[in-house]
Amino acid sequence: MSAAPPPPRRPGFPARLPSLGHAPSSPSVRAAAPSAATASGWGLDSAAVRQRMVQRLAAGGIQSPLVLQAMGQVPRHGFVDSALVAQAYEDTSLPIGWQQTISKPSVVARMIELLLGAPLAQQHGLGRVLEIGTGCGYQAAVLSQVAREVYSIERLRNLHEKSRSNLRPLRLANVHLLLGDGMLGYAQGGPYAGIISAAGGQSLPQAWRDQLAVGGRLVAPVAQENGQQMLLVLERSEQGFTESVLEAVHFVPLKSGVA
Ligand code: SAH
């Protein structure tokens, strides 16, 4: 397939969403026309509801302005079933089909804030990120607003396809959707400044450690010896890896193979 080469992008400036009919103070958003959101039927005036969600995230401890802005930009209601649209901005996980769920906004924001806290990201902005578990594509869209490139892998073909159609109207040139077993990572896109898993395993796959850049961070749910899933942060330095175990979380299981 021959496609026009993507326009050059200055490092440190991730893709911005096309006009979603809000954020009047942002020139980049205001300049983009026509509105992909409206054209695709996502014209629901959700900006105010989303801003309330952002205020709740801030009240709940999310401090990064970049994360709060990204959460305020991405139309979460465009990633859930039409029957669930009314709940799209509540802080709950919701079913997305095939026994999987879209993560709670507070957990998405928390994990991305942790990624941004890595030394590499602090120095140069967040570079390449690997997401394991694309699901409906929501988190990939949020990541696209804070990272230079997002590689997102999904093992379920149906969800991979669904995320593709969910994301299409947003025209995010820096999101790369892959069908595959995320336990193997995606070496071609690495090393990654950030790795984020939306599914929880018994341990961290070796490939993730190998593909993490020095100065980068990996954020993932991992089961502890007592079976409780906890959020884990692994940071890589020249000297090796440092692991921190944070709060308890509830993610769908990490499984191997493509289905
Ligand atoms: N980030 C997603 C959350 C999806 S739930 C969102 O915003 O909607 C987690 C996803 O991880 C599920 O879709 C599940 O199929 C997927 N998953 C589980 N194990 C995987 C693996 N080894 N590789 C890729 N995806 C995996």
Side-chain angles (χ1 to χ4, degrees), residues 42-64:
W42 289 8
L44 179 76
D45 182 17
S46 55
V49 196
R50 200 155 48 243
Q51 274 319 307
R52 281 199 291 280
M53 175 187 82
V54 168
Q55 283 160 8
R56 288 194 302 272
L57 291 172
I62 301 298
Q63 292 180 357
S64 160

Side-chain angles (χ1 to χ4, degrees), residues 4 86 95 162 166 248:
K162 187 171 189 167
N166 284 344

Side-chain angles (χ1 to χ4, degrees), residues 169-190:
L170 300 180
R171 292 177 291 161
L172 300 169
N174 63 340
V175 175
H176 312 283
L177 298 176
L178 309 154
L179 175 68
D181 182 354
M183 287 176 82
L184 307 174
Y186 181 66
Q188 294 92 316

Side-chain angles (χ1 to χ4, degrees), residues 22-253:
H22 54 85
S25 60
S26 160
S28 62
V29 169
R30 198 173 40 207
S35 162
T38 309
S40 70
W42 289 8
L44 179 76
D45 182 17
S46 55
V49 196
R50 200 155 48 243
Q51 274 319 307
R52 281 199 291 280
M53 175 187 82
V54 168
Q55 283 160 8
R56 288 194 302 272
L57 291 172
I62 301 298
Q63 292 180 357
S64 160
L66 208 54
V67 172
L68 292 171
Q69 195 187 2
M71 297 296 292
Q73 288 283 318
V74 179
R76 192 168 185 261
H77 65 275
F79 292 85
V80 299
D81 244 42
S82 50
L84 299 171
V85 160
Q87 295 170 63
Y89 296 102
E90 288 172 14
D91 196 30
T92 68
S93 54
L94 293 168
I96 53 173
W98 299 280
Q99 283 113 49
Q100 307 303 320
T101 53
I102 179 175
S103 310
K104 278 184 187 202
S106 59
V107 171
V108 171
R110 164 85 168 135
M111 289 174 79
I112 297 179
E113 186 167 64
L114 286 166
L115 277 191
L116 285 165
L120 251 188
Q122 294 276 298
Q123 286 158 26
H124 308 289
L126 190 57
R128 287 191 299 271
V129 170
L130 175 68
E131 179 191 35
I132 295 95
T134 315
C136 64
Y138 172 70
Q139 181 167 268
V142 179
L143 285 167
S144 79
Q145 303 300 292
V146 305
R148 282 193 277 281
E149 299 294 334
V150 180
Y151 294 85
S152 182
I153 310 186
E154 173 57 55
R155 66 179 287 274
L156 297 179
R157 196 176 299 273
N158 290 329
L159 276 174
H160 169 71
E161 295 301 334
K162 187 171 189 167
S163 68
R164 202 173 275 296
S165 61
N166 284 344
L167 288 165
R168 188 170 295 122
L170 300 180
R171 292 177 291 161
L172 300 169
N174 63 340
V175 175
H176 312 283
L177 298 176
L178 309 154
L179 175 68
D181 182 354
M183 287 176 82
L184 307 174
Y186 181 66
Q188 294 92 316
Y192 298 98
I195 299 182
I196 184 164
S197 178
Q202 301 303 310
S203 59
L204 289 178
Q206 184 60 37
W208 298 359
R209 294 175 186 264
D210 295 344
Q211 292 170 26
L212 187 64
V214 170
R217 266 190 189 177
L218 185 164
V219 182
V222 178
Q224 303 300 291
E225 275 166 23
N226 62 5
Q228 171 67 59
Q229 214 181 53
M230 304 290 281
L231 196 58
L232 210 113
V233 174
L234 189 77
E235 198 168 292
R236 185 170 195 172
S237 71
E238 297 284 4
Q239 288 72 43
F241 293 92
T242 323
E243 207 171 283
S244 327
V245 179
L246 307 178
E247 66 269 21
V249 283
H250 303 278
F251 279 84
V252 297

Side-chain angles (χ1 to χ4, degrees), residues 1-16:
M1 193 174 80
S2 77
R9 187 140 27 82
R10 281 183 295 160
F13 290 85
R16 288 285 160 236

